[in-house]
Amino acid sequence: MQKIFILLIVLFFLSSSISAQETLKLSIEEIQRLGLEANGLVLAARSQVNISEAGVVAASAFPNPEVTVMAGPVTRRLPESLTGPAAGQRVVTVNQPIENPFMRQARIASAEAGVEANRASFDQVRADLAAQIRVRAYELILRQKQAEIEAGIYELLEDVRQRIKLNVERGEAARFELIRADTEVQSAANRKEAAHLIAQQARISLMQLTAGALPLNFEVSASLDDPDNLPSMEILRQEVPNVNPDVVRLQAEQERAKMRIDQERASVLPSLNVLYTNHQDAQFNANTVGVSVRVPLFYRRRGEIDTAIYDAARIRDTLEYRRYEVGQLFEIAWQALQIAKRRVEMFEGGLIKEAENAVRVAQAAYRFGERGLIELLDTQRVLRGIQNDSLQARFDLQAAAAEIDRLRAYYPKEHTVE
């Protein structure tokens, strides 16, 4: 809360300096692009993909030979007349491991599956962030609209207060009416200020998601009435569980676990080392070639193989549950979308217009003295409640659509740097 308060103060002092500047209007896709390029979590996930790609290079490398050089003097144990003059000796040994081709293939395939898993995680981070940015952008629009409603109510009540004040001064109304009007105006002013601060908080939240890439004078070029542009339910029901990044990641993890089983099983096979030794002394120069074989006689890596098998089973079960869970999350989001659409249709069916007509009738009746202040305030409260509910329904529709797009990893990928 302290950070938000500080940011609100900064925005308040900078508002005067940017008011004269031209407002920069950005679409939601443009804001998403800025966030995907600047957010640190996305950059960290991209680095993780680069790390896994470097791991493939390491897994594909051939083992290096080992060279051992030993040298030292030769000490006589017999007289020089029998052994000749003393000299030194030198031994050079080269050890070249010959890698098991089955284990090598499994290791490389496991590293490549790790790359796919990290790419899916990267895609998940981007999809989550893009959905959050989209929801925050529409929330900013919602809060701004609510602030406009509260500002309109304040202006209306202030106008009513001025009329009551004139009537009180002329003796045509009791002073109690002015006190009541002052109370309502003060309450409306408080709601107006609170709505403005909430809108500023929504702006700050959106700027935080984009890591400060948004300018202070930006405006969201969108509307709560924007169409969702979603495919049909049947298409999405087949698409979402297959393209969801978390499901794709688990599929890659499952493939990597299978390759680990093959790698552990291949490691049981005998491993070879080719040896070459050159020995030189005062009299002889010897070259020796041999083979070193590691024979898995006593331990055949049963523990490591079982661990890999159980780990693969764990990932397989997790994958099946996650695929089912993603399908259910889609069903929930789709139902939320349909509920929001029905609510929007209800408000568009004339409910708001009827409430607005009721306010206009109450205002006219109040001017002619046929209705009191309480009736006018009641109709105004009803209209404000209906308007807020209508805006909330439209926001809920956009949030449900953003959740569906998040589940299917639909966002402006063409604008991001791979």
Side-chain angles (χ1 to χ4, degrees), residues 33 48 126 402:
R33 174 179 57 82
Q48 193 63 40
R126 291 188 293 179

Side-chain angles (χ1 to χ4, degrees), residues 32 120 130 150 157-158 169 187 194 209 211 224 247 299 301 367:
Q32 287 176 321
E150 296 298 340
L157 292 178
E158 181 64 28
E169 292 175 352
S187 177
L209 288 176
L224 291 175
V247 173
Y299 183 62
R301 301 185 65 83
R367 292 191 186 98

Side-chain angles (χ1 to χ4, degrees), residues 304-362:
E304 288 80 356
I305 294 174
D306 289 344
T307 300
I309 292 174
Y310 294 138
D311 186 54
R314 176 188 64 83
I315 296 175
R316 182 181 64 251
D317 295 337
T318 305
L319 172 61
E320 294 302 323
Y321 173 75
R322 185 55 180 162
R323 185 180 284 114
Y324 168 78
E325 185 180 31
V326 168
Q328 295 304 306
L329 289 175
F330 163 72
E331 296 292 340
I332 293 173
W334 183 264
Q335 293 301 323
L337 180 71
Q338 301 307 312
I339 292 173
K341 284 184 176 181
R342 285 193 289 270
R343 292 183 61 197
V344 170
E345 292 172 357
M346 177 185 67
F347 289 112
E348 290 179 348
L351 192 59
I352 295 179
K353 292 182 178 179
E354 292 178 0
E356 291 175 346
N357 292 332
V359 171
R360 284 193 289 268
V361 171

